[in-house]
Amino acid sequence: MSHHDCEGYYFEYKSECDLNSERDRKKIVRTVASFANTYGGDLFLGVKERDGVPVDVPGLEIKNADDFRLRIGNLLRDCIEPRLSGFEVEVFEVGAGRCFVRLHVPSSSARPHRAFIKGTSSIPVRNVAGMHECDIRESRKQSN
């Protein structure tokens, strides 16, 4: 495992993800927008991390991979503005009806992207420590 696999600019790991949970949906939308607003990256769902490094792949219970991909796609289309394109959702089986998900997000030329969920709005970006809120100066820098 190299330092390139650690959470920060390019990777984020979530061991749990319930698309019916507003908290989890908000986390996904903000993380994806933060990748698009900076250098692009990968969000891994169903992967457990310790100190930013993946240590286990318990997976998520996903009954229908196509349905899961569709729901993630709809979530990102509905909650990120301007609309994000070019992201990929891949679902990999890890056994016993469990899967992990790799959500690849390219750096966007249409940034800054705003994450909208339930009346809240933010422009998340990434740095070496992971995701944080963008201030106005940073937002101008990101869009240049």
Side-chain angles (χ1 to χ4, degrees), residues 88-135:
E88 298 167 18
V89 183
E90 295 177 287
V91 180
F92 303 91
E93 283 187 40
V94 294
R98 297 185 75 79
C99 303
F100 82 88
V101 177
R102 173 182 171 252
L103 180 45
H104 176 71
V105 184
S107 177
S108 174
S109 57
R111 61 186 186 230
H113 290 274
R114 195 174 280 278
F116 288 99
I117 281 230
K118 286 280 190 218
T120 66
S121 166
S122 65
I123 299 177
V125 294
R126 298 190 80 74
N127 63 16
V128 77
M131 179 173 57
H132 69 279
E133 294 302 318
C134 183
D135 67 26

Side-chain angles (χ1 to χ4, degrees), residues 20-34:
N20 296 317
S21 151
E22 186 180 320
R23 200 178 114 245
D24 285 2
R25 285 197 317 267
K26 187 182 278 190
K27 221 172 251 183
I28 288 171
V29 167
R30 291 183 66 238
T31 300
V32 167
S34 76

Side-chain angles (χ1 to χ4, degrees), residues 58-114:
L60 306 171
E61 197 176 308
I62 295 178
K63 291 178 178 38
N64 181 324
D66 289 337
D67 180 58
F68 189 86
R69 274 194 293 271
L70 187 68
R71 289 184 67 195
I72 292 256
N74 288 341
L75 175 68
L76 299 180
R77 274 186 280 280
D78 293 348
C79 299
I80 295 179
E81 199 175 88
R83 187 172 271 205
L84 191 61
S85 61
F87 61 86
E88 298 167 18
V89 183
E90 295 177 287
V91 180
F92 303 91
E93 283 187 40
V94 294
R98 297 185 75 79
C99 303
F100 82 88
V101 177
R102 173 182 171 252
L103 180 45
H104 176 71
V105 184
S107 177
S108 174
S109 57
R111 61 186 186 230
H113 290 274
R114 195 174 280 278

